[in-house]
Amino acid sequence: MSAEVYDFHTHTYLSDGELSPIELIRRAIVRGYRVIGLADHAGPGTMEVVVPQLVDACAYCSQHWDILAIPGVELTHLPPGEIDRCAREARRLGARLIVVHGETPVEPVPPGTNAAAVASDAVDVVAHPGLLLLEEAGEACRRGIFLEISPRRGHSLANGHVARLSEATGARGIVNSDGHSPADLLTAELARHVARCSGLGEEMVRRVVKDHPRALLARIDGRSGRRA
Ligand SMILES: [Zn+2]
Ligand SMILES: [Zn+2]
């Protein structure tokens, strides 16, 4: 049915979110979610602690409730040259979803982060990539990396730009909440609204809120079959 909600970028109190992993997942179920990715901010020194806890909580909730909870990480404010290595290390720790905190216009993210993210086969999503370059969007397309269209204040300033480059290059856009509190969680209607407001036509809106999340799930499943 049309009310399915997919969201691959949320935060718990293991980084700067408000809720425990289990409470966040429980509230997402009530909101209509079928799939939720927990991608707390982390890097060297924290992902060793954060990722195993998300792995356990996601397995527990997926076992008891009708939702697929995916443990992940959002690599945040790292030196760009470290992103590929850290993405691989996060996977080794059990993360099944690697989000990179992209070059949003409202934070001093190190320049070169977007380029490093789209150059890594271990990355799945570049969150709020801001003033991404055309070549970077093309590289995201070649590697099957998803480009986020964000409902979040500040990050959303560049949504129109990201949507335009996605369409121009064939890179797949995706709407995630980047939720830090329960009020941030998506609804199906909000996801469509955010995609529309980025300037996409109705056919592309449908792809962004439905086909692309399913494609990302397939990418995640495909990796699980060949986890090293
Ligand atoms: Zn945050
Ligand atoms: Zn985030």
Side-chain angles (χ1 to χ4, degrees):
M1 61 191 231
S2 61
E4 289 176 9
V5 183
Y6 301 87
D7 188 351
F8 295 89
H9 180 180
T10 64
H11 296 277
T12 76
Y13 65 35
L14 294 177
S15 60
D16 59 351
E18 290 180 10
L19 302 178
S20 72
I22 289 176
E23 184 172 353
L24 176 65
I25 293 165
R26 183 66 209 155
R27 285 177 182 256
I29 292 168
V30 172
R31 195 77 164 237
Y33 278 45
R34 304 279 301 278
V35 174
I36 184 169
L38 276 58
D40 274 305
H41 300 288
T46 49
M47 63 187 181
E48 297 82 353
V49 177
V50 168
V51 172
Q53 294 182 77
L54 293 177
V55 168
D56 285 352
C58 286
Y60 182 84
C61 291
S62 297
Q63 182 186 345
H64 286 279
W65 295 323
D66 185 22
I67 191 166
L68 174 62
I70 303 167
V73 75
E74 182 177 15
L75 299 174
T76 304
H77 287 259
L78 299 185
E82 282 287 292
I83 285 173
D84 181 63
R85 187 188 68 76
C86 290
R88 292 175 195 284
E89 176 61 11
R91 288 198 183 280
R92 196 189 63 75
L93 293 165
R96 299 180 61 207
L97 166 70
I98 307 294
V99 177
V100 171
H101 186 92
E103 293 178 53
T104 170
V106 293
E107 289 176 32
V109 179
T113 295
N114 287 343
V118 298
S120 171
D121 287 320
V123 170
D124 297 308
V125 177
V126 186
H128 40 70
L131 295 177
L132 182 77
L133 301 176
L134 183 69
E135 310 84 81
E136 292 164 348
E139 192 65 17
C141 177
R142 277 189 290 283
R143 292 189 193 278
I145 295 171
F146 293 78
L147 301 177
E148 188 177 86
I149 297 167
S150 178
R152 204 157 173 79
R153 189 172 55 186
H155 294 340
S156 61
L157 285 168
N159 279 352
H161 173 77
V162 173
R164 207 161 43 243
L165 288 195
S166 298
E167 279 200 296
T169 59
R172 290 171 293 190
I174 197 163
V175 176
N176 295 314
S177 71
D178 198 355
H180 290 65
S181 70
D184 296 337
L185 289 174
L186 292 174
T187 60
E189 186 51 45
L190 176 60
R192 280 196 296 274
H193 185 63
V194 171
R196 272 190 203 116
C197 289
S198 72
L200 297 172
E202 279 309 303
E203 171 55 22
M204 189 56 82
V205 168
R206 194 191 60 73
R207 285 193 220 169
V208 161
V209 302
K210 197 165 187 179
D211 297 353
H212 296 177
R214 289 176 176 177
L216 176 49
L217 266 185
R219 177 183 174 94
I220 291 167
D221 283 347
R223 285 188 196 276
S224 303
R226 50 185 168 80
R227 277 259 291 282

